[in-house]
Amino acid sequence: MTILALILAPALAGLASFVIRNNTVRRMILVGTAMLHAVLTATVWVNKPEPIMAGWLQVDALGLVFLSAVSCLFMAAAVYAVSYLAREESGARPDFEESFLFVNEPEAVFVGCLMLFLSTMTLVTLSHNFGLLWVAVEATTLTSAPLIYFHRHHRSLEATWKYLLICSVGIALALLGTFFLAFAASGKAGGGIPLMVDELIANAAWLRVPWIKVAFLFMLVGYGTKMGLAPLHSWLPDAHSEAPSVVSALLSGALLNCAFIGILRVTQVLDATGSGAFARGLLLVFGLISVAVATVFIVAQLDFKRMLAYSSIEHMGILAVGIGLGGVGSFGAMLHAVNHSLTKGMMFLVAGNILARFRTKSTRMIDGMLGEIPVSGSLWMAGLLALTGTPPFGLFQSELTIIRAAIDSGHILVAVTLLVALGVIFVGMSSIVIGMVFGKGRQQLDSSVATESLASVIPPIVLCMGALLLGLYIPPVLNGILTEASQLLGGD
């Protein structure tokens, strides 16, 4: 029942939102659904539910890590969304970049898709059948596309089409990978092996290893496109930049993790065949390319939302490197996924506050944040330290763990590359963020625009506290789940 409730509750609430006409009621349902999902997720930590649908849907440590990140981030996003929707004017409104008039999509569509998005992401984390996993990942694309197109102008339309086209090509390649996986599993005498993660691992001796490798390659490229691994990332900066910030937070902190699960599931199968080194080598290559590409674009970035988008590519690259290294690196990758969700969620929510106050995404047009929006300015500064892996924030712990894994396993070049890239990114992001936070404030801002509401600052404050706490102390129960998840991936 718990598993079904986790998936169906947001789905039904989302569908109901399309027909509810009262905005206040709809927003209450949004927050209530997020709270219910968080409570249900918490019960999973206490009492692990039995698998349902013959094991197609079940909870393991790997899924629980990502489910918890999705639920936590959605809770923060839902509270923030109430404030965001309240300040969005109804009717035609001027675009702050090009001054033309545009009309947002109906709030019913936005809120409904938001909860359907939660339902599909939950389905991804709980799917143990590769066919169902593919369907769930594709469903996340369909439910999130209208969210990116919320503002209904030519830039958001272009970003949405780019997102749909590129991710659809990627998901088509992932489907081919699923077909190859089915062929690889068809060699067992007396019938093929079902495309269940556990069944494939238990019957690994019967799998056709060359075809498993082909399947992994296609799934890596397919799901890697959705995850934002370079050079397959070209949809990500536009989508993150043009979507409302609350949506960007979910895309970066939750959706990218969901795509990563697809890669991790097939890595588990490849590990069971004894060919895990093949997967890890490719993950290392794609991870390092992602970090390198992100470094170049972050340093020269003039748009603070695109800066965060390229930062997401960087951190997805670090995740891939952690899994590629294996051992303690897998634990570091799991910890990094949680830390990144909290930190990037916070930064995108704060970015929404900046955009609301300064009406620009240009880093050169913003200074004096501490004077105009002091709470958001302080969070923006704290987010810089967290995002660049500065102690005592959690990303410092996870990045240190991954670099230590690289050194311990003899991948000195990987460690050096990461250290150089992280150093350059720290300098590049610092020069941008410090310039925005400090100063006297040269802009003539509209005094009628609300500066900061409680609902717009409390969610990022909570996420910031979470990122800080994980840098100082990892609760034993979380440490246990992260360890169990990393062991599923061949970690220590």
Side-chain angles (χ1 to χ4, degrees):
M1 279 299 292
T2 306
I3 290 177
L4 278 181
L6 278 164
I7 298 167
L8 292 180
L12 294 174
L15 292 175
S17 294
F18 284 100
V19 296
I20 293 173
R21 305 185 70 173
N22 186 289
N23 286 341
T24 303
V25 173
R26 196 183 298 111
R27 292 169 194 173
M28 289 173 64
I29 291 176
L30 172 63
V31 176
T33 302
M35 292 175 66
L36 175 62
H37 193 275
V39 170
L40 290 170
T41 302
T43 63
V44 173
W45 280 79
V46 179
N47 293 309
K48 182 180 175 183
E50 293 296 320
I52 62 171
M53 293 174 56
W56 283 42
L57 293 174
Q58 58 179 292
V59 179
D60 65 355
L62 186 59
L64 184 55
V65 169
F66 290 104
L67 171 66
S68 303
V70 167
S71 189
C72 177
L73 188 54
F74 193 87
M75 182 72 242
V79 174
Y80 184 91
V82 173
S83 165
Y84 173 76
L85 292 171
R87 72 183 177 221
E88 284 293 301
E89 302 165 7
S90 60
R93 52 184 300 163
D95 177 68
F96 57 79
E97 288 188 46
E98 301 174 56
S99 301
F100 57 79
L101 296 177
F102 70 95
V103 179
N104 289 332
E105 72 184 8
E107 186 176 318
V109 176
F110 183 78
V111 175
C113 287
L114 210 53
M115 287 190 278
L116 290 175
F117 189 31
L118 172 62
S119 175
T120 53
M121 288 193 292
T122 302
L123 183 60
V124 171
T125 63
L126 300 176
S127 296
H128 277 242
N129 177 285
F130 279 96
L132 181 60
L133 176 66
W134 182 88
V135 170
V137 173
E138 174 64 359
T140 62
T141 305
L142 299 177
T143 53
S144 56
L147 299 174
I148 299 171
Y149 186 46
F150 176 65
H151 291 313
R152 289 194 172 180
H153 52 53
H154 70 91
R155 294 193 309 276
S156 60
L157 178 63
E158 181 183 343
T160 305
W161 273 114
K162 188 180 285 189
Y163 171 64
L164 281 172
L165 287 174
I166 296 175
C167 287
S168 294
V169 171
I171 207 71
L173 293 175
L175 180 60
L176 276 177
T178 307
F179 291 156
F180 285 126
L181 185 63
F183 182 72
S186 63
K188 184 180 179 181
I193 306 167
L195 289 183
M196 306 287 292
V197 176
D198 295 341
E199 293 272 359
L200 291 168
I201 292 173
N203 294 281
W206 292 95
L207 299 175
R208 296 182 170 106
V209 174
W211 288 104
I212 287 284
K213 291 181 178 177
V214 174
F216 176 83
L217 192 57
F218 274 83
M219 289 192 187
L220 174 61
V221 174
Y223 291 131
T225 300
K226 184 110 181 206
M227 182 183 168
L229 288 178
L232 316 164
H233 64 284
S234 56
W235 66 270
L236 195 149
D238 286 347
H240 284 55
S241 176
E242 294 304 330
S245 293
V246 64
V247 176
S248 305
L250 292 171
L251 292 176
S252 181
L255 178 65
L256 302 187
N257 286 346
C258 289
F260 193 35
I261 288 180
I263 298 171
L264 295 179
R265 293 297 188 198
V266 72
T267 301
Q268 285 183 265
V269 178
L270 205 53
D271 267 339
T273 65
S275 302
F278 175 78
R280 299 188 191 289
L282 287 172
L283 284 168
L284 271 180
V285 170
F286 274 89
L288 289 176
I289 291 174
S290 300
V291 172
V293 168
T295 303
V296 172
F297 283 94
I298 285 174
V299 169
Q301 198 48 244
L302 300 177
D303 179 324
F304 62 84
K305 285 195 74 179
R306 293 180 78 88
M307 177 189 75
L308 296 181
Y310 281 108
S311 169
S312 297
I313 296 169
E314 172 214 347
H315 286 284
M316 290 302 108
I318 293 174
L319 283 181
V321 168
I323 298 298
L325 290 169
V328 73
S330 297
F331 177 86
M334 290 297 98
L335 180 60
H336 198 79
V338 176
N339 282 320
H340 176 254
S341 293
L342 296 173
T343 308
K344 194 54 64 64
M346 172 192 71
M347 288 296 274
F348 269 117
L349 296 185
V350 175
N353 295 343
I354 299 171
L355 202 53
R357 183 59 184 151
F358 290 88
R359 303 283 186 182
T360 178
K361 289 184 281 190
S362 171
T363 58
R364 290 181 173 174
M365 299 292 291
I366 299 172
D367 65 356
M369 280 178 59
L370 280 179
E372 290 292 335
I373 41 176
V375 178
S376 296
S378 303
L379 287 170
W380 195 242
M381 195 65 204
L384 163 69
L385 299 177
L387 214 50
T388 53
T390 307
F393 288 96
L395 284 173
F396 169 75
Q397 290 286 354
S398 50
E399 288 176 356
L400 186 65
T401 303
I402 291 170
I403 291 171
R404 195 185 76 191
I407 295 172
D408 291 346
S409 60
H411 292 86
I412 304 301
L413 185 59
V414 173
V416 171
T417 304
L418 282 180
L419 285 170
V420 170
L422 292 175
V424 173
I425 288 171
F426 177 79
V427 173
M429 287 188 71
S430 296
S431 64
I432 295 170
V433 172
I434 290 174
M436 295 171 66
V437 171
F438 298 101
K440 296 182 178 178
R442 296 164 295 175
Q443 308 87 344
Q444 294 295 321
L445 300 177
D446 184 354
S447 59
S448 65
V449 177
T451 52
E452 293 172 309
S453 67
L454 278 179
S456 70
V457 295
I458 288 179
I461 287 175
V462 172
L463 294 175
C464 183
M465 295 299 290
L468 180 61
L469 175 65
L470 289 183
L472 300 171
Y473 174 73
I474 302 176
V477 63
L478 176 60
N479 189 65
I481 288 295
L482 292 174
T483 302
E484 191 178 337
S486 65
Q487 287 171 345
L488 291 175
L489 299 164
D492 295 335

